[in-house]
C-alpha cells in the first residue's frame, strides 16, 4: 500500500458558473475514495437570507455583506477539520482579502482556482439555473476577481475539460496520488 498525501483544507474558488460546487463535490468524493475522510461544504449554503435576496435581485454583494459570511465559512472549515475530516469548500473567494480572511482561521488552506474565459462561463450560466445568482452578475464577478498570487498556496486549473479531467488536474497539481 502506498502512502498518500493528506490534504489540508481545500478551497475550490472561481467566479459564479465556473463549476465550484460540482468540482468541489467530485473532488471530495475522489479524496474520500482514496481513503481520506473528506467533507464537502458549499459556501453558498452559508449565505444569510439577506445576501441571497440581494443577489437574486441582481445586486452585487459588498465587502460588508461578505464579512459575516466569510466568518461563517471559516468556522465551518474549522468545525470539519476539528472532526478529523478534510474540508473541501466551494467558495468564490474572489478577492485576496477574502482568502486571507479564511486563511486566518485555516493557515494551511490550499486553493484550487477554477479558471475559464468569460465566454465559456457565460455559456455555462445560460444552461443552468441557480437559486439566487443571476447571470447578470457575471461581469461584476470578473471585475472583482483577483487571481491567486504566487505567495498563496494555490493551483490554477482550466475548466475547459470534463469534471473528471478537472478533478484529475487538481489532484495532479496537488501531488495527490491515486491508489
Amino acid at each position: 500500500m502506498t502512502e498518500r498525501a493528506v490534504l489540508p483544507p481545500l478551497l475550490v474558488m472561481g467566479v459564479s458558473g465556473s463549476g465550484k460546487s460540482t468540482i468541489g463535490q467530485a473532488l471530495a468524493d475522489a479524496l474520500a475514495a482514496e481513503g481520506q475522510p473528506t467533507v464537502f461544504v458549499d459556501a453558498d449554503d452559508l449565505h444569510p437570507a439577506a445576501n441571497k435576496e440581494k443577489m437574486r435581485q441582481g445586486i452585487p454583494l459588498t465587502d460588508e455583506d461578505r464579512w459575516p459570511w466569510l466568518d461563517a465559512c471559516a468556522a465551518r472549515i474549522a468545525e470539519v477539520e476539528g472532526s478529523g475530516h478534510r474540508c473541501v469548500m466551494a467558495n468564490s473567494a474572489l478577492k485576496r482579502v477574502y482568502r486571507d480572511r479564511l486563511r486566518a482561521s485555516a493557515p494551511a488552506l490550499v486553493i484550487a482556482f477554477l479558471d475559464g474565459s468569460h465566454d465559456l462561463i457565460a455559456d455555462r450560466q445560460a444552461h443552468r439555473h441557480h437559486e439566487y445568482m443571476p447571470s447578470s452578475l457575471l461581469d461584476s464577478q470578473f471585475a472583482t476577481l483577483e487571481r491567486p498570487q504566487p505567495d498563496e498556496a494555490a493551483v490554477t486549473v482550466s475548466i475547459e475539460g470534463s469534471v473528471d479531467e478537472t478533478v484529475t488536474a487538481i489532484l495532479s497539481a496537488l501531488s495527490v496520488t491515486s491508489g
Side-chain angles (χ1 to χ4, degrees):
M1 182 167 193
T2 57
E3 284 290 316
R4 286 186 295 268
V6 177
L7 288 177
L10 181 60
L11 177 70
V12 180
M13 69 155 287
V15 299
S16 177
S18 62
K20 295 178 301 292
S21 298
T22 301
I23 298 299
Q25 182 65 67
L27 185 58
D29 292 345
L31 291 169
E34 289 200 357
Q36 296 184 36
T38 305
V39 173
F40 172 69
V41 177
D42 192 331
D44 282 352
D45 296 337
L46 303 175
H47 269 298
N51 282 8
K52 289 180 182 182
E53 184 55 34
K54 197 171 183 180
M55 289 183 284
R56 188 176 290 114
Q57 293 176 20
I59 302 168
L61 297 180
T62 65
D63 287 351
E64 290 71 32
D65 296 323
R66 286 187 179 96
W67 299 136
W69 169 65
L70 288 164
D71 291 342
C73 291
R76 182 69 177 121
I77 291 169
E79 178 184 326
V80 171
E81 292 290 299
S83 75
H85 290 79
R86 194 64 42 223
C87 184
V88 173
M89 177 177 280
N91 182 317
S92 55
L94 297 175
K95 289 185 181 181
R96 168 73 184 249
V97 69
Y98 304 159
R99 297 186 298 271
D100 288 346
R101 186 116 173 186
L102 294 172
R103 206 177 287 112
S105 296
L109 189 70
V110 173
I111 300 163
F113 170 51
L114 303 181
D115 193 18
S117 71
H118 186 285
D119 289 346
L120 173 64
I121 294 171
D123 183 62
R124 288 183 178 187
Q125 283 189 336
H127 295 95
R128 73 165 193 165
H129 170 74
H130 191 278
E131 173 192 358
Y132 56 81
M133 190 66 178
S135 58
S136 62
L137 289 177
L138 183 59
D139 288 342
S140 74
Q141 292 264 300
F142 271 100
T144 301
L145 176 64
E146 295 173 2
R147 295 171 171 273
Q149 296 301 302
D151 66 324
E152 295 184 81
V155 297
T156 298
V157 179
S158 170
I159 59 167
E160 291 185 15
S162 69
V163 170
D164 288 342
E165 290 168 335
T166 304
V167 168
T168 298
I170 292 169
L171 293 173
S172 176
L174 296 173
S175 299
V176 176
T177 60
S178 59

